[in-house]
């Protein structure tokens, strides 16, 4: 019986002297309940997308409309953005005027030959 008491005394003084040993032998009972678990995690590093592609364009210009949001999935052929086409419209107008002027010269030359 004395050996058992001595062992109990030794065990209790060892747990008090070594907090790690005490932590491994302690038990706590709590009642379970429903609720939301909230936990904040702070980390550093680099976030990389699962998929990435390079967009190439056949013309340059000023972007006037963006039709997708960052992170949004897109499909092949989907319009992503619009460009300011006023310079192109001006070029078409000038080209049409040049065609009209050239046609007028042809008509004038044809009239002159007919005389």
């Amino acid at each position: 019986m004395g050996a058992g008491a001595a062992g109990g005394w030794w065990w209790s003084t060892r747990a008090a002297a070594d907090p790690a040993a005490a932590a491994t032998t302690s038990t706590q009972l709590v009642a379970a309940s429903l609720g939301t678990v909230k936990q904040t995690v702070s980390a550093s590093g680099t976030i990389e997308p699962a998929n990435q592609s390079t967009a190439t364009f056949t013309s340059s210009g000023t972007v006037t409309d963006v039709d997708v949001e960052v992170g949004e999935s897109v499909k092949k052929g989907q319009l992503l953005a619009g460009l300011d086409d006023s310079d192109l419209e001006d070029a078409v107008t000038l080209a049409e005027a040049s065609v009209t002027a050239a046609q007028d010269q042809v008509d004038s030359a044809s009239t002159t030959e007919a005389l």
Side-chain angles (χ1 to χ4, degrees), residues 34-75:
L34 294 177
T36 302
V37 176
K38 294 182 181 180
Q39 184 175 13
T40 302
V41 176
S42 176
S44 62
T46 303
I47 297 175
E48 303 217 5
N51 297 313
Q52 183 175 351
S53 62
T54 302
T56 57
F57 303 93
T58 56
S59 62
S60 62
T62 303
V63 175
T64 57
D65 300 310
V66 177
D67 299 326
V68 293
E69 298 291 325
V70 173
E72 182 178 343
S73 294
V74 295
K75 295 179 181 166

